[in-house]
Structure formats: C-alpha cells, structure tokens
Amino acid sequence: MVTLELPTSSTRLNKVFQVHVSSQTRKPGIHIAWKTVTYRSVALLIVAGAAVFLVAIRLTFPQFSESSIKAAGKVANKALERVAGMAPAAGGGVSTAQQAHFTALDGTVRVKKGNGNSWVGADYNIPLEKGDVVQTGSEGMAKVVFNDGTSYTVKQDSLIVIEENSANDQQQTNVSVAVTTGTVDLTTATYVQGSKSQVIVAGAKASLAPDSSAMVRNDPRADQHEILMKKGSGQIERNGEVVKLSNWEKVSFQNQSKTMDKGKEVGPPTPVAPGNMMPIFIAEGEKSKDVEFNWTPMAGAAGYRLRISHNPYFSSLLLDRKVDSPNVVVTGLAQGAYYWAIQSYDTAGKESVESEKNRFTIIPRAKEKVELSLDIQPFIQHGT
C-alpha cells in the first residue's frame, strides 16, 4: 500500500513528499535516497564553523588573533565602502575647501594669496581661499561673501585673514575669519544646522548664530579690542571664559586683561526722511536741491552726527556734520544717488553705533504732460 503525506510547510524541499512502501510489497533492486539541503543551512554551517575556528585561534594565539581581527575589520570596512558605496557616519564626512568672492570694491584694496608672498590688486575675479589675506587702504572698502551667505564688509585701514572656509558632505559649512586690524561688519545667513560662522579678534573667538550681525574692531596699537552684537546672538570665547551676547551688547578687552568687559551699547536713531529708495525731484533748469533730513530723537542724546556719501560703504564722505536737533536741511545737493546714516552722542562725546543706511536719488522732474487727441470710430456692435 502506498500512502502520500502532504508537507506542512512548502519551504522545506526535503519534505515535499514521502512514499512508504510495505516490506511485503518491496521488490529487490537498487534503491536511491537523497536529502535536499537549502542555501540557508549551508550558510549557517559556514558561520558556525568560522566561529568555532576563531574561538580556537583566540584561545591559542590571543595577541595574533586580536590584531588579525582588527586588520580584517578594517579591510572589510574598506571593501564595503568601495563596493557598496557605504556612506560615512553623519557629521564624519570629509570636508572640502570652498571659495569666497568680492561683491563690492572701492578705493585701494589688495590681496595676498596664502601660497604666495606678493600683493596684488583686488579684483572681482579673484577667488578667496583659506590662508588668503585682504587689506584695505585709507580710502578702501571691500565686501566679501562666502558660500554659506556670510558677508564681511572690510572698512578702511583694515586687514583680515581667511582662517577656514570649507563644507562637508552634509552641507555643513565652516567659515572663520581673523580680523588682524581695523573694523569689520559681518552678517550671517540662514545656514544648515551644525554649520559654524566665526570671527577671531586678538585671541577671542566669536561664534555667531544664523541671521545675526556684528561689528568687530581691532586696534593693536591702542590695545583696544571690541565685538558688538547688532542683531541676533553670539558667543565669545577667550582664555576659557565664555560670554553670550544679544542685541546691542558688546565685549571689550585688552591683551593683558584676564576677563572681558561686557556692556550695553546705545542703539542708533532711526532714519525717517529721505526714506530708503525715495526719489527727490528737481525742477528743470535747477542744478542743485535743498533736502531736509530727519530721524527719531534719542533720549539722553546731546547731539547727532549726520554723514552723507555717494557709496553705501562711506569710504568717501560728502558731508560729516554734527547737529543739535533731530533734523537738518542740507543745501546744494546735485543730481545723483546718495546714502545717509545718523548717529547720536552723549554729553561725554560717546557716539552710538551707526544707523541703517538710507538711499535716495535726486532726479529731474519729467516734462509736462502733452495732451493727445483721441479719435473714436463709430461703435459697431456684433452679436447680442
């Protein structure tokens, strides 16, 4: 009698079917039997054998086995990275160097490359890299923009060094600039979390948060060093001391000072008129225009300082005047574009920081409108 037994699991090939033949009906002859083995079983046997072998080697040659296992691990990791394209751990990517560029130049500005010894005139086509030095003259100004959106406005008689400018595979940037001498205004953008934007002044390192702006002054001759936070927040580190700054807070120190002095700066007045991007019309035939300037009054201010320039960086001034009231009329301004800013000062003569810059343009008024006759043809209606 022949009986068939159905398998309980279709995944095991060795139990697909079994045939039982009674000894009474078995006929003499050659009988063949086989056992089906799966790939999984073979893999498990190999792993078990390798484990037993490694344990035996470990017990017999402990030093040899340990170094061999480490070496094998390194080789395996490299092989996996090459063949499978395995990505490195987060934050552990290799950094690549980046370039910055000039976006504004005025007056005398020169550059010395990190791999050279000679100075060359600054040009918009010169890429700025790690180790490069930028210097402005007494009437010079330069604006440098990095790939992360951070911008540095280098004022007159200043010198900066690009200490770091790189990014990793996680798009995290690292920008660091040292202000050797002079004054620099910097503004950070909204960059990727984990990025760094730093400025170094006489051994103090300022780390700025995104969407922040600050002013840095470094006067080695007078041994005066200052970092002012205009907007946003930042953290200053020096000799193990950490100071946090917010709007209009600053730190100042000297080289021999053990700690930094933290203080509060008086905010500047707000320019009112002429408004930013405001056109001022001049009558036909006139060569100049009288313009009235006014701004918000500041409590405790003894006076105000008005400055007017043809460029937004005030590297050359058309007017630099101190007045007592929060308004003044300036005469004799010809056609063209102008920028103006205002500061307040107290009874001791201490000035506030500079306000935002407003731009206005004096342009000739257009000629009187010419009337044109309009002829209308007879109206014809089509359809309903």
Side-chain angles (χ1 to χ4, degrees), residues 314-356:
F314 290 71
S315 55
S316 59
L317 296 176
L318 299 174
L319 178 74
D320 189 352
R321 181 187 300 178
K322 289 186 176 181
V323 296
D324 297 333
S325 61
N327 57 75
V328 65
V329 176
V330 178
T331 61
L333 294 179
Q335 297 181 24
Y338 296 88
Y339 296 85
W340 71 283
I342 191 71
Q343 293 173 273
S344 63
Y345 59 89
D346 57 18
T347 54
K350 181 181 179 181
E351 295 181 344
S352 70
V353 296
E354 190 178 77
S355 69
E356 296 293 331

Side-chain angles (χ1 to χ4, degrees), residues 17-154:
F17 65 91
Q18 294 180 355
V19 180
H20 298 271
V21 182
S22 61
S23 57
Q24 292 83 359
T25 58
R26 184 177 299 171
K27 296 181 180 180
I30 299 175
H31 298 273
I32 301 175
W34 68 89
K35 182 76 171 180
T36 304
V37 181
T38 62
Y39 289 110
R40 182 180 179 183
S41 301
V42 174
L44 291 175
L45 288 175
I46 293 175
V47 171
V52 173
F53 176 78
L54 290 176
V55 170
I57 292 296
R58 174 69 176 176
L59 295 176
T60 308
F61 307 103
Q63 296 180 351
F64 172 78
S65 60
E66 184 176 359
S67 60
S68 300
I69 291 172
K70 290 182 179 180
K74 292 180 179 180
V75 172
N77 289 335
K78 290 182 178 180
L80 287 173
E81 290 177 3
R82 285 179 175 272
V83 177
M86 184 178 294
V94 178
S95 297
T96 56
Q98 294 194 117
Q99 296 178 342
H101 295 85
F102 290 110
T103 59
L105 291 169
D106 189 31
T108 303
V109 182
R110 58 180 188 169
V111 179
K112 183 170 70 173
K113 303 295 291 182
N115 55 2
N117 296 319
S118 59
W119 292 92
V120 296
D123 186 86
Y124 291 105
N125 296 323
I126 296 179
L128 299 176
E129 303 166 308
K130 179 180 179 179
D132 292 352
V133 183
V134 178
Q135 185 182 45
T136 58
S138 58
E139 295 294 330
M141 183 284 311
K143 185 174 182 179
V144 181
V145 176
F146 291 80
N147 289 356
D148 66 346
T150 302
S151 64
Y152 287 78
T153 301
V154 187

Side-chain angles (χ1 to χ4, degrees), residues 134 136 142 144 151-161 177-187 199-201 213-218 226-228 230:
V134 178
T136 58
V144 181
S151 64
Y152 287 78
T153 301
V154 187
K155 301 293 187 65
Q156 299 94 329
D157 290 322
S158 301
L159 187 146
I160 66 169
V161 181
V177 172
V179 180
T180 303
T181 183
T183 304
V184 173
D185 288 334
L186 65 146
T187 302
V199 59
I200 303 172
V201 183
S213 61
M215 181 184 67
V216 176
R217 288 177 180 169
N218 189 6
E226 180 180 292
I227 302 174
L228 169 66
K230 293 183 178 180

